[in-house]
Amino acid sequence: MALSRRQFVGAAAGTAALAATGTATAQEEPDYGGWFDDVSNYDGTVDKRGQDTVTITVGAQGNNGAFAFDPAAVMVSPGTEVVWEWTGEGGGHNVVSDGDGPLDSGSAVSEAGTTYSHTFESEGMFKYVCIPHKALGMKGAVVVRPGSGSSGDGGSGGQQQQGPPENPDYGGWFDNVSNYDGTTVDRTDADSVEISVGAQGNNGAFAFDPPAVRVTPGTEVTWTWTGEGGGHNVVSDGDGPLDSGGAVSESGTTYSHTFEEMGVYKYACVPHESLGMKGAVVVGGPLGGSGGGSGGGSEQEGSGIELSGPQWLLSGSVLLAFFSPLLFAVAMRRRQNGRPPQMGEGGELQRATGPEPVEEAKETEPAVELGHDEYDPKGTAALVAFYFVLIGLLWVFMYFVEFLGRVSIIG
């Protein structure tokens, strides 16, 4: 039974939660007080903590044109340099703090490649706007908090719900999509996810199935053509990473993309977009509640950690290694205290209350009592300590080889 790297890391997190009886906590979304109510491309706070430099695009697609900052909201660590980079689209833009803040890039400029940077030293929330297009919703925010951000590898430590919420606000994107039932299918437990192109929906074979899916960073999403409904393609809505090229109708055609950054990625089949052939991929951390599109997975209640059958087996093996010395010590103690039953008067069985009579040894040398079955608290404690040290060394070894060396030992 082979475990993938993602399954092993998930099982390790589950084992740590079971042994320490800890609970993974979700990243709390900041309260912006309605700041993003009219910002169409806001889909949650992107956690970039732990990075020395973070780039924000100025003039990204959003708010009915190139009138957006991307990402609109970002969380960074104290001491991080944030760089705003102009795309050259949407006319002149600038970056100015809302109220009395530290950001001021000067007058609006439209030249592509223009940059403005600021290093945030103190914690807090820093809202800003593009003054010429503030009324259109061209606003953003930088949240400065200590801590480390999410990792595309699954990260060490507890799994956290980060990035977009469970069911993001798609802003009417699915209003005319007949096979969208209002839920985003959770596939955060999968290394790769498949979406059918030309599935039944929208009065014909004009749908993506599932239309909305949630994955974790680093997941490969593959679109597979059914061969029905004519020519289809997969193209991002606005300035996005998806573009399968011209429409094709051949069954078995595939197109794949690996999502590394958190966010909401909307896409459509260009020839049939007006019919409702649209979809979205939500990239974020694992959800704390139940869900999961694959089914059959086991779940650690209250910890937000989902474990499959192989992962439970691995977790149980590690826990057994921890507690087997204690179970052995208890068994030996019970054996030491136990006495075999004896036949008493009247033929009734009774348990001996004292030491059994021992015949005098005939040997000339004094008898030596062997203490193999005696309970030795110090020896047992030393054995338990040895097991814990061994497990600790194994974890240190895994950390340096698997995470620092980037060499997979799991398969």
Side-chain angles (χ1 to χ4, degrees):
M1 183 184 302
L3 288 178
S4 68
R5 181 172 183 270
R6 183 187 297 271
Q7 286 178 319
F8 184 87
V9 173
T15 302
L18 288 171
T21 63
T23 302
T25 57
Q27 173 61 49
E28 184 177 336
E29 181 74 4
D31 181 10
Y32 296 104
W35 179 249
F36 290 110
D37 287 352
D38 60 341
V39 179
S40 69
N41 69 315
Y42 168 72
D43 50 29
T45 303
V46 178
D47 193 348
K48 296 284 188 178
R49 290 178 296 175
Q51 300 186 18
D52 296 327
T53 304
V54 173
T55 301
I56 297 176
T57 302
V58 180
Q61 290 297 315
N63 305 302
N64 298 314
F67 307 119
F69 297 105
D70 185 31
V74 64
M75 184 178 295
V76 300
S77 303
T80 301
E81 180 187 32
V82 179
V83 179
W84 285 264
E85 184 173 352
W86 272 246
T87 64
E89 301 179 7
H93 303 299
N94 61 359
V95 177
V96 179
S97 287
D98 177 58
D100 187 15
L103 304 177
D104 188 353
S105 67
S107 302
V109 295
S110 58
E111 184 178 357
T114 300
T115 60
Y116 166 70
S117 64
H118 178 80
T119 301
F120 293 87
E121 301 292 351
S122 58
E123 298 180 32
M125 180 184 298
F126 302 86
K127 302 176 182 177
Y128 62 92
V129 300
C130 166
I131 293 180
H133 305 117
K134 178 180 179 180
L136 299 178
M138 192 168 179
K139 299 185 288 186
V142 177
V143 179
V144 184
R145 287 184 185 174
S148 59
S150 58
S151 169
D153 296 323
S156 60
Q159 298 185 13
Q160 300 179 347
Q161 177 181 349
Q162 298 180 2
E166 181 175 359
N167 281 305
D169 181 7
Y170 296 106
W173 180 247
F174 288 111
D175 286 353
N176 64 334
V177 179
S178 68
N179 67 318
Y180 174 69
D181 58 6
T183 60
T184 301
V185 177
D186 184 11
R187 296 288 175 83
T188 54
D189 60 345
D191 293 317
S192 59
V193 173
E194 183 174 314
I195 298 176
S196 296
V197 180
Q200 290 298 315
N202 305 301
N203 298 315
F206 307 118
F208 297 103
D209 185 33
V213 63
R214 183 185 185 93
V215 301
T216 52
T219 300
E220 180 186 38
V221 178
T222 301
W223 286 263
T224 303
W225 271 247
T226 64
E228 301 179 7
H232 304 300
N233 60 0
V234 177
V235 179
S236 287
D237 177 57
D239 187 15
L242 303 178
D243 188 354
S244 66
V248 295
S249 58
E250 183 178 357
S251 176
T253 301
T254 60
Y255 165 70
S256 63
H257 178 80
T258 300
F259 293 87
E260 301 291 350
E261 298 290 334
M262 291 191 179
V264 177
Y265 299 84
K266 303 174 184 177
Y267 63 92
C269 167
V270 175
H272 306 118
E273 180 175 0
S274 61
L275 299 179
M277 192 169 178
K278 298 184 288 185
V281 176
V282 180
V283 184
L287 299 173
S290 62
S294 60
S298 300
E299 183 175 326
Q300 171 69 19
E301 289 260 83
S303 68
I305 299 173
E306 295 184 359
L307 300 178
S308 65
Q311 292 171 341
W312 273 112
L313 180 60
L314 178 60
S315 300
S317 300
V318 175
L319 291 177
L320 182 61
F322 270 111
F323 293 109
S324 57
L326 297 177
L327 296 175
F328 176 76
V330 172
M332 294 303 299
R333 181 67 173 180
R334 291 176 62 89
R335 180 179 176 184
Q336 178 68 18
N337 292 337
R339 285 288 185 266
Q342 296 180 351
M343 187 69 69
E345 296 181 0
E348 296 181 356
L349 291 177
Q350 63 179 16
R351 185 169 296 277
T353 58
E356 300 179 15
V358 180
E359 295 182 1
E360 183 178 354
K362 296 180 180 180
E363 292 82 2
T364 56
E365 297 181 0
V368 178
E369 184 180 356
L370 299 179
H372 293 293
D373 291 338
E374 292 185 357
Y375 172 67
D376 184 4
K378 293 184 179 180
T380 302
L383 184 60
V384 173
F386 171 78
Y387 266 80
F388 275 91
V389 171
L390 179 61
I391 294 298
L393 291 176
L394 290 175
W395 276 106
V396 171
F397 175 79
M398 187 199 73
Y399 174 81
F400 280 101
V401 175
E402 178 75 7
F403 296 101
L404 296 186
R406 298 295 179 185
V407 178
S408 177
I409 61 174
I410 311 304

mmCIF file of all heavy atoms in Angstrom, residues 178-179 199-207 275:
data_model
loop_
_atom_site.group_PDB
_atom_site.id
_atom_site.type_symbol
_atom_site.label_atom_id
_atom_site.label_comp_id
_atom_site.label_asym_id
_atom_site.label_seq_id
_atom_site.Cartn_x
_atom_site.Cartn_y
_atom_site.Cartn_z
ATOM 1 N N SER A 178 -26.690 26.124 -15.141
ATOM 2 C CA SER A 178 -27.763 25.270 -14.621
ATOM 3 C C SER A 178 -27.242 24.158 -13.717
ATOM 4 O O SER A 178 -27.952 23.711 -12.815
ATOM 5 C CB SER A 178 -28.553 24.656 -15.778
ATOM 6 O OG SER A 178 -27.765 23.718 -16.493
ATOM 7 N N ASN A 179 -26.009 23.688 -13.921
ATOM 8 C CA ASN A 179 -25.521 22.559 -13.113
ATOM 9 C C ASN A 179 -24.765 23.011 -11.862
ATOM 10 O O ASN A 179 -24.193 22.174 -11.156
ATOM 11 C CB ASN A 179 -24.639 21.625 -13.947
ATOM 12 C CG ASN A 179 -23.326 22.260 -14.374
ATOM 13 O OD1 ASN A 179 -23.302 23.418 -14.775
ATOM 14 N ND2 ASN A 179 -22.248 21.487 -14.322
ATOM 15 N N ALA A 199 -19.835 18.256 -20.255
ATOM 16 C CA ALA A 199 -20.765 17.475 -19.445
ATOM 17 C C ALA A 199 -22.189 17.965 -19.690
ATOM 18 O O ALA A 199 -22.415 19.034 -20.268
ATOM 19 C CB ALA A 199 -20.403 17.590 -17.966
ATOM 20 N N GLN A 200 -23.163 17.193 -19.231
ATOM 21 C CA GLN A 200 -24.550 17.591 -19.423
ATOM 22 C C GLN A 200 -24.902 18.769 -18.511
ATOM 23 O O GLN A 200 -24.646 18.755 -17.323
ATOM 24 C CB GLN A 200 -25.478 16.414 -19.115
ATOM 25 C CG GLN A 200 -25.396 15.297 -20.153
ATOM 26 C CD GLN A 200 -25.828 15.770 -21.536
ATOM 27 O OE1 GLN A 200 -26.854 16.456 -21.685
ATOM 28 N NE2 GLN A 200 -25.043 15.410 -22.550
ATOM 29 N N GLY A 201 -25.496 19.780 -19.121
ATOM 30 C CA GLY A 201 -25.888 20.977 -18.394
ATOM 31 C C GLY A 201 -26.153 22.107 -19.350
ATOM 32 O O GLY A 201 -25.681 22.107 -20.507
ATOM 33 N N ASN A 202 -26.942 23.091 -18.918
ATOM 34 C CA ASN A 202 -27.257 24.263 -19.730
ATOM 35 C C ASN A 202 -27.921 23.860 -21.054
ATOM 36 O O ASN A 202 -27.534 24.334 -22.133
ATOM 37 C CB ASN A 202 -25.983 25.089 -19.987
ATOM 38 C CG ASN A 202 -25.276 25.466 -18.700
ATOM 39 O OD1 ASN A 202 -25.842 26.125 -17.832
ATOM 40 N ND2 ASN A 202 -24.026 25.038 -18.561
ATOM 41 N N ASN A 203 -28.890 22.911 -20.954
ATOM 42 C CA ASN A 203 -29.689 22.471 -22.108
ATOM 43 C C ASN A 203 -28.849 21.766 -23.177
ATOM 44 O O ASN A 203 -29.051 21.960 -24.380
ATOM 45 C CB ASN A 203 -30.447 23.649 -22.724
ATOM 46 C CG ASN A 203 -31.438 24.260 -21.755
ATOM 47 O OD1 ASN A 203 -32.177 23.554 -21.071
ATOM 48 N ND2 ASN A 203 -31.443 25.599 -21.675
ATOM 49 N N GLY A 204 -27.903 20.995 -22.744
ATOM 50 C CA GLY A 204 -27.084 20.249 -23.690
ATOM 51 C C GLY A 204 -25.787 19.844 -23.032
ATOM 52 O O GLY A 204 -25.653 19.887 -21.807
ATOM 53 N N ALA A 205 -24.809 19.464 -23.855
ATOM 54 C CA ALA A 205 -23.487 19.104 -23.333
ATOM 55 C C ALA A 205 -22.621 20.352 -23.293
ATOM 56 O O ALA A 205 -21.576 20.444 -23.951
ATOM 57 C CB ALA A 205 -22.865 18.014 -24.201
ATOM 58 N N PHE A 206 -23.085 21.327 -22.494
ATOM 59 C CA PHE A 206 -22.430 22.627 -22.438
ATOM 60 C C PHE A 206 -22.099 22.995 -20.985
ATOM 61 O O PHE A 206 -22.468 24.071 -20.507
ATOM 62 C CB PHE A 206 -23.318 23.701 -23.054
ATOM 63 C CG PHE A 206 -23.801 23.371 -24.441
ATOM 64 C CD1 PHE A 206 -25.160 23.233 -24.712
ATOM 65 C CD2 PHE A 206 -22.898 23.173 -25.470
ATOM 66 C CE1 PHE A 206 -25.610 22.928 -25.979
ATOM 67 C CE2 PHE A 206 -23.341 22.860 -26.748
ATOM 68 C CZ PHE A 206 -24.700 22.732 -27.006
ATOM 69 N N ALA A 207 -21.409 22.098 -20.292
ATOM 70 C CA ALA A 207 -21.114 22.356 -18.883
ATOM 71 C C ALA A 207 -19.760 21.783 -18.504
ATOM 72 O O ALA A 207 -19.242 20.857 -19.144
ATOM 73 C CB ALA A 207 -22.199 21.757 -17.984
ATOM 74 N N LEU A 275 -24.154 30.483 -23.109
ATOM 75 C CA LEU A 275 -25.086 29.421 -22.730
ATOM 76 C C LEU A 275 -24.941 29.026 -21.262
ATOM 77 O O LEU A 275 -25.769 28.277 -20.742
ATOM 78 C CB LEU A 275 -24.866 28.182 -23.606
ATOM 79 C CG LEU A 275 -25.078 28.365 -25.112
ATOM 80 C CD1 LEU A 275 -24.788 27.053 -25.842
ATOM 81 C CD2 LEU A 275 -26.494 28.837 -25.406
#
